[in-house]
Amino acid sequence: MAELESPEVMLKMIRFLSSLLERVAESNDDEEFRSFDAQKMSIFHGLTRPTISIRCYMERIFKYANCSPSCVVVAYIYLDRFVQKQPLLPLNSFNVHRLLIAGVLVSAKFMDDIYYNNAYYAKVGGISTAEMNMLEVDFLFGLGFQLNVSTTTFHHYSSYLQREMLLQFPPLMAAPTLARSRNIHFYVDDDGSSQHQLAAV
């Protein structure tokens, strides 16, 4: 985990995560048009796609939130859990920004000793404090209040992120590898067994 303390590594992680989330959101956007009836709307769903890119939004959050590197990994775990527990709310371009800000807020409150209040996160996220409060509550219910992350699960996700970052951003700026399937996602059960899942975050 010490490697994540480096600002350069954190920037690479944000770039990788934003790239992953963009691919999944775009893939699910395509699916949304084919199966709109099966999906439900939620407080996370915006009326339009935000004009700010996922990468810029993540960079903004992590610039101003000052959360720990562990918080970033745990926010990713929470997003993964949320999508697994809420299959009718797939991550897409209309909800990814709100899910991100809610995930980071909940992660910071659970992981970090010092964190900003909801009003501050609302300003960072470009939403009202009342909306931030509702997003937090809905995110917690969506997770079934399962906020604890075992050390095994944390280690698996952290290792996966570091491995994938090396593949996407190899040392010495070598040519990037061929793009892998955008619909395959790695996740770890709390019992420590690793699995791959199609078309999910």
Side-chain angles (χ1 to χ4, degrees):
M1 194 62 205
E3 311 86 46
L4 295 180
E5 299 292 336
S6 160
E8 296 83 21
V9 174
M10 281 300 295
L11 281 175
K12 285 182 182 179
M13 179 183 287
I14 290 167
R15 284 171 51 201
F16 169 71
L17 281 175
S18 62
S19 172
L20 174 68
L21 293 173
E22 284 171 3
R23 289 192 310 267
V24 172
E26 288 170 6
S27 175
N28 288 337
D29 286 347
D30 294 340
E31 287 293 317
E32 184 175 338
F33 291 114
R34 285 179 278 207
S35 60
F36 187 75
D37 295 337
Q39 298 183 16
K40 63 180 183 178
M41 299 300 244
S42 74
I43 190 170
F44 299 102
H45 198 91
L47 297 176
T48 60
R49 289 184 176 114
T51 55
I52 187 171
S53 70
I54 295 171
R55 180 176 171 179
C56 290
Y57 196 68
M58 284 188 74
E59 288 172 350
R60 177 179 170 79
I61 291 170
F62 295 112
K63 177 180 180 181
Y64 293 108
N66 294 321
C67 56
S68 67
S70 299
C71 174
V72 177
V73 176
V74 170
Y76 173 57
I77 294 170
Y78 288 169
L79 282 174
D80 196 20
R81 283 183 183 173
F82 186 91
V83 171
Q84 290 175 44
K85 289 178 173 290
Q86 306 298 324
L88 295 180
L89 289 175
L91 190 128
N92 60 44
S93 298
F94 293 90
N95 64 19
V96 64
H97 295 76
R98 286 179 176 85
L99 285 168
L100 267 172
I101 194 73
V104 172
L105 169 73
V106 170
S107 176
K109 285 185 172 183
F110 192 75
M111 294 295 297
D112 294 345
D113 293 330
I114 300 171
Y115 54 86
Y116 294 107
N117 62 23
N118 288 22
Y120 182 84
Y121 273 93
K123 286 181 184 174
V124 170
I127 56 178
S128 70
T129 303
E131 186 176 3
M132 185 75 256
N133 294 340
M134 289 187 289
L135 290 176
E136 179 185 22
V137 170
D138 276 24
F139 193 79
L140 288 167
F141 274 100
L143 288 173
F145 290 87
Q146 292 182 350
L147 301 180
N148 193 43
V149 175
S150 70
T151 53
T152 303
T153 300
F154 182 88
H155 175 72
H156 282 295
Y157 274 86
S158 180
S159 297
Y160 167 74
L161 289 172
Q162 290 178 29
R163 189 171 52 250
E164 290 298 313
M165 284 181 345
L166 281 175
L167 290 173
Q168 188 168 1
F169 309 109
L172 302 176
M173 301 306 281
T177 60
L178 294 175
R180 293 168 300 284
S181 172
R182 66 181 171 182
N183 293 328
I184 297 176
H185 176 66
F186 170 87
Y187 70 95
V188 178
D189 290 331
D190 277 331
D191 66 1
S193 62
S194 63
Q195 301 180 23
H196 293 277
Q197 182 176 352
L198 293 177
V201 166

Coordinates of all heavy atoms in Angstrom, one line a residue, residues 52 57 60-61 97-98 101 119-129 131-132 135:
I52 N -18.9 17.4 -17.4 CA -17.5 17.1 -17.0 C -17.3 15.6 -17.2 O -18.1 14.7 -16.9 CB -17.4 17.5 -15.5 CG1 -15.9 17.4 -15.1 CG2 -18.3 16.8 -14.6 CD1 -15.6 18.0 -13.7
Y57 N -13.8 14.7 -13.2 CA -14.6 14.7 -11.9 C -13.8 14.0 -10.8 O -13.8 14.4 -9.7 CB -15.9 14.0 -12.2 CG -17.0 14.2 -11.2 CD1 -17.6 15.5 -11.0 CD2 -17.5 13.2 -10.4 CE1 -18.6 15.7 -10.1 CE2 -18.5 13.4 -9.5 CZ -19.0 14.6 -9.3 OH -20.0 14.8 -8.4
R60 N -11.0 16.1 -9.6 CA -11.5 17.2 -8.8 C -11.9 16.7 -7.4 O -11.5 17.3 -6.4 CB -12.8 17.8 -9.4 CG -13.5 18.8 -8.6 CD -14.7 19.3 -9.3 NE -15.5 20.2 -8.5 CZ -15.2 21.5 -8.2 NH1 -14.2 22.0 -8.7 NH2 -16.0 22.2 -7.4
I61 N -12.5 15.5 -7.3 CA -12.9 14.9 -6.0 C -11.6 14.7 -5.2 O -11.5 15.1 -4.0 CB -13.7 13.6 -6.2 CG1 -15.1 13.9 -6.7 CG2 -13.8 12.9 -4.8 CD1 -15.9 12.7 -7.1
H97 N -21.4 9.8 -12.0 CA -20.8 10.9 -11.2 C -21.4 10.9 -9.8 O -20.6 11.1 -8.8 CB -21.1 12.2 -11.9 CG -20.4 12.4 -13.2 ND1 -20.8 11.7 -14.4 CD2 -19.2 13.1 -13.6 CE1 -20.0 12.0 -15.4 NE2 -19.0 12.8 -14.9
R98 N -22.7 10.8 -9.7 CA -23.3 10.8 -8.3 C -22.9 9.6 -7.5 O -22.7 9.7 -6.3 CB -24.8 10.9 -8.5 CG -25.3 12.2 -8.9 CD -26.9 12.2 -9.1 NE -27.4 13.5 -9.4 CZ -27.4 14.0 -10.6 NH1 -27.0 13.3 -11.7 NH2 -27.9 15.2 -10.8
I101 N -19.3 10.4 -6.1 CA -19.2 11.3 -5.0 C -19.7 10.7 -3.8 O -19.2 10.8 -2.7 CB -19.8 12.7 -5.3 CG1 -19.4 13.7 -4.3 CG2 -21.3 12.6 -5.5 CD1 -18.0 14.2 -4.4
A119 N -21.7 19.1 3.3 CA -21.8 20.4 2.6 C -20.6 20.6 1.7 O -20.7 21.1 0.6 CB -22.0 21.5 3.5
Y120 N -19.4 20.3 2.2 CA -18.1 20.4 1.5 C -18.1 19.5 0.3 O -17.8 19.9 -0.8 CB -16.9 20.1 2.4 CG -15.6 20.4 1.7 CD1 -15.0 21.6 1.6 CD2 -14.9 19.3 1.1 CE1 -13.8 21.8 1.0 CE2 -13.7 19.5 0.5 CZ -13.2 20.7 0.4 OH -12.0 20.9 -0.2
Y121 N -18.5 18.2 0.5 CA -18.5 17.3 -0.6 C -19.5 17.7 -1.7 O -19.3 17.4 -2.8 CB -18.8 15.8 -0.1 CG -17.6 15.1 0.3 CD1 -17.1 15.1 1.6 CD2 -16.8 14.4 -0.6 CE1 -16.0 14.4 2.0 CE2 -15.7 13.7 -0.2 CZ -15.3 13.7 1.1 OH -14.1 13.0 1.4
A122 N -20.6 18.3 -1.2 CA -21.6 18.7 -2.2 C -21.0 19.8 -3.1 O -21.2 19.8 -4.3 CB -22.9 19.3 -1.4
K123 N -20.3 20.7 -2.5 CA -19.6 21.8 -3.3 C -18.6 21.2 -4.3 O -18.6 21.5 -5.5 CB -19.0 22.8 -2.4 CG -19.9 23.7 -1.7 CD -19.2 24.7 -0.9 CE -20.2 25.6 -0.1 NZ -19.5 26.5 0.8
V124 N -17.8 20.2 -3.8 CA -16.9 19.5 -4.7 C -17.6 18.8 -5.8 O -17.1 18.9 -6.9 CB -16.0 18.6 -3.8 CG1 -15.1 17.7 -4.8 CG2 -15.1 19.3 -2.8
G125 N -18.7 18.2 -5.5 CA -19.4 17.4 -6.5 C -20.3 18.2 -7.4 O -20.9 17.7 -8.3
G126 N -20.5 19.5 -7.1 CA -21.4 20.3 -7.9 C -22.9 20.0 -7.7 O -23.7 20.2 -8.6
I127 N -23.2 19.6 -6.5 CA -24.7 19.4 -6.2 C -25.0 20.1 -4.9 O -24.1 20.6 -4.2 CB -24.9 17.9 -6.0 CG1 -24.0 17.2 -4.9 CG2 -24.8 17.1 -7.3 CD1 -24.2 15.8 -4.7
S128 N -26.3 20.1 -4.5 CA -26.7 20.7 -3.3 C -26.4 19.8 -2.1 O -26.3 18.6 -2.2 CB -28.2 21.0 -3.3 OG -29.0 19.8 -3.3
T129 N -26.4 20.4 -0.9 CA -26.1 19.6 0.3 C -27.3 18.7 0.6 O -27.1 17.5 0.9 CB -26.0 20.6 1.5 OG1 -24.9 21.5 1.3 CG2 -25.7 19.8 2.8
E131 N -29.1 17.2 -1.7 CA -28.9 16.1 -2.6 C -27.8 15.2 -2.1 O -27.9 14.0 -2.2 CB -28.7 16.6 -4.0 CG -28.6 15.5 -5.1 CD -28.4 15.9 -6.5 OE1 -28.3 17.2 -6.7 OE2 -28.4 15.1 -7.4
M132 N -26.7 15.8 -1.6 CA -25.6 15.0 -1.1 C -26.1 14.1 0.0 O -25.7 12.9 0.1 CB -24.5 15.9 -0.7 CG -23.2 15.2 -0.2 SD -22.2 14.5 -1.6 CE -22.6 12.8 -1.5
L135 N -28.1 11.2 -1.4 CA -27.2 10.3 -2.1 C -26.5 9.4 -1.1 O -26.4 8.2 -1.3 CB -26.2 11.0 -3.0 CG -26.7 11.7 -4.2 CD1 -25.5 12.5 -4.9 CD2 -27.3 10.8 -5.2

